[in-house]
């Protein structure tokens, strides 16, 4: 039995040595772990920017393109149609201006020939009617000149509007 007690004594001493190593390990771990709450807050990652994978970004871009493509094409078609209408209107106004210019030229030449005929006719009867005719011809010429200037102004304004619309369309297309 003494051999048993010796072996039990050896076991107890080995157990005590293990316990002392365990206690020293626990104290070492406690000193190392006691700072964990502070370390967790220090080492906590804060996302300042949301990072997404490239494939997700490409899928989102493709989705946006597929959604916006019909609307963009519709807007481009509308813009083209509007530009064509404005171009036709400009051409019409230019043609009217040329027609008015031709009428003005014709009326001034025909009015001068009429004026000469009437002056000759009035001279044969009496010499006082030529000033009234000159005044009405001048008035008509002034009215026609004002109309022509108004039409030229309208044409210039419409051309500027077309240029502005084209710039806006280019900006819009460059932005997309």
């Amino acid at each position: 039995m003494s051999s048993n007690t010796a072996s039990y004594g050896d076991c107890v001493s080995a157990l005590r040595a293990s316990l002392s190593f365990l206690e020293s390990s626990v104290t070492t771990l406690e000193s190392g772990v006691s700072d964990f709450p502070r370390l967790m807050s220090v080492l906590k990652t804060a996302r300042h920017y949301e990072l997404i994978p490239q494939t997700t970004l490409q899928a989102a871009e493709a989705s946006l393109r597929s959604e916006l493509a019909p609307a963009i094409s519709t807007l481009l078609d509308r813009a083209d149609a509007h530009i064509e209408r404005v171009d036709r209107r400009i051409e019409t106004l230019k043609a009217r201006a040329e027609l008015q210019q031709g009428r003005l030229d014709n009326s001034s030449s025909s009015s001068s020939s009429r004026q000469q005929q009437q002056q000759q006719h009035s001279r044969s009867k009496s010499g006082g009617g030529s000033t009234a005719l000159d005044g009405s011809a001048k008035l008509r010429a002034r009215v026609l000149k004002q109309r022509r200037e108004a039409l030229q102004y309208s044409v210039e304004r419409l051309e500027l509007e077309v240029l502005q619309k084209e710039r806006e369309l280019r900006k819009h297309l460059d932005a997309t």
Side-chain angles (χ1 to χ4, degrees):
M1 193 140 140
S2 77
S3 78
N4 279 343
T5 40
S7 72
Y8 286 141
D10 289 337
C11 284
V12 169
S13 66
L15 187 59
R16 282 189 183 151
S18 294
L19 265 171
S20 69
F21 285 132
L22 188 60
E23 284 178 1
S24 71
S25 297
V26 166
T27 56
T28 304
L29 281 174
E30 278 181 0
S31 66
V33 173
S34 66
D35 205 22
F36 265 7
R38 187 186 68 84
L39 283 176
M40 283 178 33
S41 66
V42 168
L43 296 176
K44 191 177 206 178
T45 58
R47 284 188 173 178
H48 295 287
Y49 300 100
E50 186 70 29
L51 300 176
I52 57 173
Q54 182 73 20
T55 55
T56 307
L57 182 63
Q58 289 172 347
E61 286 177 353
S63 172
L64 276 175
R65 267 192 231 108
S66 67
E67 289 177 13
L68 294 178
I72 289 172
S73 65
T74 303
L75 288 174
L76 288 174
D77 291 342
R78 278 189 197 169
D80 288 339
H82 184 68
I83 289 171
E84 288 174 8
R85 272 183 281 171
V86 170
D87 286 341
R88 284 193 303 263
R89 185 154 184 209
I90 287 172
E91 293 301 320
T92 304
L93 288 174
K94 284 181 181 179
R96 280 187 191 168
E98 290 173 4
L99 178 65
Q100 293 293 340
Q101 181 64 36
R103 287 180 180 171
L104 182 63
D105 292 343
N106 287 341
S107 69
S108 65
S109 66
S110 65
S111 68
S112 64
S113 65
R114 266 191 258 134
Q115 197 174 31
Q116 289 173 356
Q117 290 173 356
Q118 289 178 354
Q119 283 178 355
Q120 290 173 356
H121 182 62
S122 65
R123 283 182 194 156
S124 64
K125 291 187 175 184
S126 67
S130 66
T131 58
L133 185 63
D134 286 340
S136 67
K138 286 181 183 179
L139 180 65
R140 181 173 165 87
R142 188 180 330 137
V143 168
L144 289 174
K145 185 176 180 182
Q146 287 174 348
R147 283 185 191 166
R148 185 177 127 224
E149 289 172 356
L151 287 172
Q152 285 176 339
Y153 174 76
S154 297
V155 167
E156 289 173 4
R157 185 175 47 85
L158 287 172
E159 287 174 345
L160 290 175
E161 284 180 19
V162 166
L163 290 174
Q164 180 67 25
K165 295 285 183 184
E166 287 175 353
R167 278 190 223 117
E168 289 175 3
L169 183 61
R170 281 191 207 110
K171 283 182 184 178
H172 180 70
L173 290 176
D174 290 341
T176 55

